[in-house]
Structure formats: structure tokens, C-alpha cells
């Protein structure tokens, strides 16, 4: 494959970034080669240095989403934690840090899935992998498999509900609700030190 760093043709990542922006702004139907070229101020033919066709670009978008959101959540569920409260707060990092899990992208992908059986299958696979990761997190911290699965599913489906409803909460409101969510999902109330570490990670200072 030609180098992806050809100055007058952009780069593979630049084309992907532009495609993601169009997907977020206007849906998958807007992700076409000519609008992308115009957005990047590049020739249409430059696209073919990096992708065989539009379908290859769409496949690359799916792969990037899979790595960003599914693997991001899985990595957080497997992060070191002394107890289940710390573990669940590691997962909650995903809902507050788009570098770990991009909720806008998730919404766009789920909208795309309504038009594509292939993407719908990708969503199903992602849901299964994410719920399994959360289940294994609870099992690791001593919960029996059934309870672990129910708790993992509840956490995940709650967050997907937030995303699907495009729910908007201020950081202050969300942080105020975090302790109750932790207690409901784990059966254990977070300690003040747990919350302080969590707040610090997200540059939040309680009033």
C-alpha cells in the first residue's frame, strides 16, 4: 500500500476523521467520497491512495468504532481495582471521557445499524462483548455468575439508554448521581476516597 503520509493526498487518518465527522453530523448516507474530498480540500482521486472504494472506508469506520468503544470499555472493565466499587468507577470513566468511549459515535453507529444488517450484526457482537466484560468484572470481584451477568447487563443497558435517548446531563448532576448508581449496581456505597479519586480524574470539584 502507498505511504499514508503523502502530503498532497492527505492521510488515511485524515480521511477517516473527516468521514467520522460526516457520520456524526449527518448520518452514513452523507459519507461519500466527493464531500469528503471537498471538506479536506483534496482531489477526489486522492481517496484511492488509502481506500479501494467507499465500502472499504465504511469498513474502516466500523473497525475504528470497534477499537474505540468496545475495546475502550473492555479495557476499563479489566483495569486494576482493589474492589468492585473501584472497578465500577473505572467503567464509569467511559461515560465521562470520550477518549475512552465516544457516546456520540455510539449513537451514530446505532442509527446506522437501523439501515444496515451488517452494522446491526456488529452492534449485536459489540453488545455481547461489552456485557461479557462487565460480567467478568463482577465475577472477578466475587459475585456469582448469574448476579454478575444481571448487574453487568443493568449497567450497560442503562448507559445505552442514556445514549439512545440522547440524554443531556450537566457534569454536576451526573456526579451527584454517581454514588447512588454505584450503590445500586454493586450493593456497596462508595467511600469518600473513591469519589475523590474519581472526581480528580475528571477535573471535577464538588460545590
Amino acid at each position: 500500500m502507498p505511504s499514508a503520509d503523502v502530503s498532497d493526498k492527505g492521510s488515511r487518518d485524515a480521511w477517516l476523521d473527516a468521514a467520522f465527522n460526516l457520520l456524526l453530523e449527518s448520518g452514513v448516507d452523507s459519507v461519500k467520497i466527493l464531500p469528503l474530498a471537498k471538506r479536506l480540500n483534496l482531489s477526489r482521486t486522492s481517496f484511492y491512495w488509502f481506500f479501494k472504494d467507499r465500502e472499504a472506508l465504511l469498513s474502516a469506520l466500523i473497525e475504528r468504532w470497534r477499537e474505540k468503544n468496545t475495546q475502550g470499555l473492555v479495557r476499563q472493565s479489566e483495569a486494576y481495582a482493589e474492589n468492585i466499587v473501584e472497578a465500577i468507577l473505572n467503567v464509569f470513566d467511559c461515560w465521562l471521557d470520550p477518549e475512552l468511549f465516544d457516546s456520540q459515535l455510539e449513537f451514530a453507529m446505532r442509527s446506522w445499524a437501523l439501515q444496515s444488517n451488517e452494522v446491526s450484526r456488529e452492534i449485536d457482537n459489540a453488545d455481547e462483548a461489552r456485557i461479557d466484560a462487565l460480567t467478568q468484572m463482577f465475577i472477578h470481584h466475587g459475585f456469582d455468575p448469574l448476579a454478575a451477568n444481571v448487574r453487568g447487563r443493568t449497567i450497560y443497558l442503562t448507559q445505552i439508554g442514556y445514549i439512545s435517548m440522547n440524554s443531556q446531563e450537566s457534569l454536576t448532576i451526573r456526579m451527584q448521581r454517581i454514588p447512588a448508581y454505584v450503590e445500586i449496581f454493586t450493593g456497596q456505597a462508595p467511600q469518600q476516597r473513591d469519589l475523590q479519586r474519581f472526581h480528580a480524574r475528571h477535573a471535577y470539584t464538588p460545590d
Side-chain angles (χ1 to χ4, degrees):
M1 174 177 288
S3 169
D5 192 25
V6 183
S7 59
D8 61 344
K9 296 176 175 60
S11 69
R12 189 176 189 274
D13 281 344
W15 285 94
L16 272 173
D17 289 343
F20 263 121
N21 288 334
L22 277 177
L23 177 67
L24 293 173
E25 292 168 11
S26 308
V28 70
D29 289 342
S30 69
V31 182
K32 296 179 180 178
I33 298 168
L34 186 56
L36 288 172
K38 288 181 176 179
R39 176 170 289 218
L40 292 169
N41 197 27
L42 296 168
S43 69
R44 187 176 187 275
T45 57
S46 300
F47 172 87
Y48 297 100
W49 277 71
F50 309 107
F51 301 98
K52 178 182 177 182
D53 51 26
R54 180 175 180 266
E55 289 305 311
L57 173 67
L58 296 181
S59 293
L61 287 179
I62 293 171
E63 177 59 33
R64 187 188 270 194
W65 159 77
R66 191 186 298 127
E67 168 60 28
K68 178 74 174 286
N69 282 9
T70 298
Q71 292 307 312
L73 191 155
V74 169
R75 283 190 290 268
Q76 287 302 109
S77 74
E78 295 174 345
Y80 173 78
E82 293 184 357
N83 52 54
I84 190 58
V85 168
E86 187 175 359
I88 202 73
L89 289 172
N90 287 339
V91 171
F92 284 3
D93 286 341
C94 291
W95 318 144
L96 295 168
D97 185 352
E99 292 301 314
L100 298 175
F101 186 101
D102 190 328
S103 294
Q104 286 188 313
L105 174 57
E106 189 71 18
F107 181 86
M109 291 295 298
R110 288 177 181 275
S111 298
W112 181 4
L114 298 176
Q115 308 172 46
S116 167
N117 289 333
E118 177 187 357
V119 178
S120 180
R121 287 191 294 272
E122 290 283 350
I123 293 289
D124 289 344
N125 290 338
D127 289 341
E128 183 177 351
R130 296 167 186 179
I131 290 172
D132 182 64
L134 293 169
T135 299
Q136 293 304 316
M137 179 186 72
F138 277 99
I139 290 174
H140 176 76
H141 287 282
F143 291 76
D144 72 72
L146 179 58
N149 181 255
V150 170
R151 289 175 187 273
R153 289 177 60 84
T154 302
I155 292 166
Y156 183 68
L157 295 177
T158 297
Q159 184 58 31
I160 294 302
Y162 264 96
I163 293 169
S164 298
M165 294 172 63
N166 201 21
S167 180
Q168 302 297 319
E169 283 182 340
S170 68
L171 180 61
T172 297
I173 292 296
R174 176 154 284 204
M175 286 298 192
Q176 288 172 349
R177 291 173 174 168
I178 288 291
Y181 275 127
V182 170
E183 187 167 6
I184 289 168
F185 291 148
T186 70
Q188 300 178 27
Q191 301 298 309
Q192 190 59 34
R193 64 178 181 274
D194 299 320
L195 295 173
Q196 287 173 343
R197 287 196 296 266
F198 184 73
H199 292 163
R201 291 203 294 271
H202 300 285
Y204 172 74
T205 302
D207 293 334

